[in-house]
Amino acid sequence: MRERIAVLALQGAFLEHEQALERLNIDWCEIRQAKDLEQAFDGLILPGGESTVQGKLLRELGLFHALKKRIEDGMPVMATCAGLILLAEHLVDDPTVWFGTLPVTVRRNAYGRQLGSFFTRGAFGDIADCPMTFIRAPFVESCRPGVEVLSRFDGQITAVRWQNQLAMAFHPELDQDMRIHRNFLEMVRHPASCLCCS
Ligand code: GLN
């Protein structure tokens, strides 16, 4: 079977994810409007950008409930930056909840203005020395038991996995290292696999 990954293409850094999938020779499609949900796809990428804009567009375009249901039903999803905010069950000092399917509390723009954007390298689960580009990034302030912590920067949680949801505060699609995308594809191929315990 050849997997097909849908990329939410409403706003933000979706093109870079599509280019990453091209490099990996993976079939992909874009989700821009409700009729795009009629095509078959096996996994979903929620790109970085502006979560408030993306969340509003998801609702206005009639995509929100269908995508939420598919995530709840177990469709593998990879979320970067704003995507992490869209998945979070709670936001710090903000009553907004978008999909709310990932049992974590996320702080938006968590690194403040001065350290708004930066680059570092670090571990992602058992993948060592991953490039990590942060752009006005959130971090995960707390997570419920059962959520796997995959990365930390400066003591703060920057990547997690919970069941079918893989989410990170940084942008792996902006670097040439494809190991995190490959990992997501493994989740799509083997939904029960666990990055920490496999
Ligand atoms: N600061 C953005 C937000 O709150 C996220 C930034 C990003 O996706 N690079 O939605």
Side-chain angles (χ1 to χ4, degrees):
M1 184 191 99
R2 187 142 195 247
E3 297 77 19
R4 189 165 208 229
I5 305 297
V7 181
L8 185 68
L10 301 181
Q11 186 268 340
F14 56 87
L15 206 66
E16 291 81 353
H17 279 289
E18 294 167 3
Q19 288 162 352
L21 294 170
E22 281 288 318
R23 255 179 272 152
L24 291 168
N25 197 24
I26 296 294
D27 198 13
W28 56 271
C29 59
E30 289 186 338
I31 305 288
R32 289 177 178 266
Q33 51 188 321
K35 83 168 167 49
D36 297 334
L37 297 174
E38 289 164 18
Q39 57 200 326
F41 55 92
D42 311 293
L44 173 69
I45 292 183
L46 301 177
E50 190 53 47
S51 54
T52 318
V53 175
Q54 293 186 13
K56 284 188 181 142
L57 286 171
L58 279 167
R59 286 193 183 281
E60 283 168 21
L61 295 165
L63 293 165
F64 183 81
H65 293 290
L67 285 179
K68 179 173 158 82
K69 169 112 181 33
R70 289 182 81 147
I71 297 168
E72 284 170 346
D73 288 348
M75 166 159 288
V77 55
M78 171 174 174
T80 56
C81 204
L84 164 64
I85 296 165
L86 291 181
L87 290 182
E89 190 179 63
H90 298 291
L91 301 179
V92 176
D93 299 333
D94 185 342
T96 310
V97 181
W98 299 106
F99 292 126
T101 50
L102 182 65
V104 299
T105 298
V106 166
R107 182 179 287 275
R108 289 181 67 197
N109 301 315
Y111 296 96
R113 275 165 190 263
Q114 285 201 325
L115 198 58
S117 302
F118 58 95
F119 175 83
T120 186
R121 304 186 73 95
F124 180 93
D126 57 10
I127 306 174
D129 196 35
C130 270
M132 296 175 174
T133 299
F134 290 77
I135 302 171
R136 291 180 299 104
F139 61 59
V140 175
E141 193 150 289
S142 61
C143 37
R144 285 214 258 130
V147 175
E148 296 168 24
V149 173
L150 298 172
S151 301
R152 288 179 192 267
F153 171 72
D154 213 10
Q156 308 292 351
I157 298 168
T158 53
V160 295
R161 177 172 175 188
W162 193 68
Q163 298 178 351
N164 55 318
Q165 300 171 64
L166 182 67
M168 61 224 72
F170 53 91
H171 288 261
E173 77 284 5
L174 298 184
D175 291 296
Q176 299 303 308
D177 190 320
M178 295 288 100
R179 289 177 295 169
I180 294 179
H181 284 81
R182 271 188 218 280
N183 236 304
F184 174 59
L185 294 168
E186 281 307 301
M187 277 173 65
V188 173
R189 286 173 188 147
H190 310 286
S193 68
C194 163
L195 295 182
C196 293
C197 323
S198 57

